[in-house]
Amino acid sequence: MGVDDFANWLRDLAKTLHENAAYLTELDSAIGDADHGSNMDRGFTAVVAVLDESSFESVDELLKKAGMTLVSKVGGASGPLYGTFFLRFGTALAGVEVTPASVGEALKAGVGGILARGKAELGDKTMYDAWAPALEAYDAAVAGGSDLAGALGAAAEAAAKGRDATTPLVARKGRASYLGERSAGHQDPGATSTTLLLESAARTLA
Ligand code: ADP
Ligand code: MG
């Protein structure tokens, strides 16, 4: 498990987000400003351009560059949030062997970055509602002896449940919170892209 595997993940994720851009934007049009799909697509297209232009010596260098690219290319809430995720995820993997346990610690560090920036709590109807159950399921899978792909698969399944559970919630963070009670009845776009991110990781980081 090394640089090429993580680069494959980012490429697969870029493709997935491109294919789902219209869907993510449709979700954001109901409770936001109809740009989540184009934000994610633009950001990850830029990440792929960086992968094509540069070569990376280490996993952390690759992931940190992806994070900086997202911060610089994506306006809106999601750019800095996902950018910080990748920056901290990469930083946590600097100089350590990629194992199910170290990736779990790195995921926690990345999500810690999302919380430090966005101050979301569970139930606020944000991407954290997908991340929180995903981290829990990941740790439980590793404790039960899962390999990386198994743990990421468990995380992706839990994220999907968390994503679905955002639908009835009233948003308390981000643009959707401006709608108050009218935000209920719609699935959160960011929880949806987080689920795509983890599904892509489970497919590619085997
Ligand atoms: P913007 O809301 O600025 O248009 P996007 O549409 O790209 O940005 O992203 C919206 C998503 O960002 C939301 O669906 C939500 O999941 C996530 N989000 C917004 N604010 C926060 C926050 N404070 N913490 C965590 N996630 C957030
Ligand atoms: Mg938006």
Side-chain angles (χ1 to χ4, degrees), residues 43 46 61 68 71 117 130 200:
E61 200 193 314
M68 286 186 284
V71 171
R117 274 216 176 225
S200 169

Side-chain angles (χ1 to χ4, degrees), residues 29-174:
S29 73
I31 55 171
D33 56 353
D35 65 356
H36 189 57
S38 49
N39 282 343
M40 298 304 287
D41 193 17
R42 183 170 65 257
F44 279 86
T45 298
V47 168
V48 168
V50 167
L51 295 179
D52 288 340
E53 284 159 15
S54 333
S55 62
F56 296 93
E57 299 279 309
S58 63
V59 169
D60 65 288
E61 200 193 314
L62 170 84
L63 294 168
K64 285 188 282 190
K65 183 67 185 178
M68 286 186 284
T69 303
L70 293 174
V71 171
S72 69
K73 297 286 181 196
V74 185
S78 60
L81 292 169
Y82 280 118
T84 304
F85 169 81
F86 278 102
L87 277 168
R88 297 221 187 167
F89 183 64
T91 301
L93 287 172
V96 299
E97 195 194 335
V98 176
T99 65
S102 69
V103 170
E105 288 308 310
L107 286 170
K108 257 176 257 166
V111 174
I114 292 173
L115 293 180
R117 274 216 176 225
K119 312 271 188 286
E121 289 175 24
L122 195 59
D124 281 353
K125 196 180 181 96
T126 71
M127 61 174 73
Y128 183 58
D129 290 344
W131 280 115
L135 293 181
E136 217 171 280
Y138 185 99
D139 279 352
V142 172
S146 281
D147 62 8
L148 183 59
L152 287 168
E157 266 179 45
K161 290 201 184 104
R163 170 202 66 200
D164 293 345
T166 63
T167 300
L169 298 176
V170 171
R172 287 192 296 248
K173 283 285 182 309

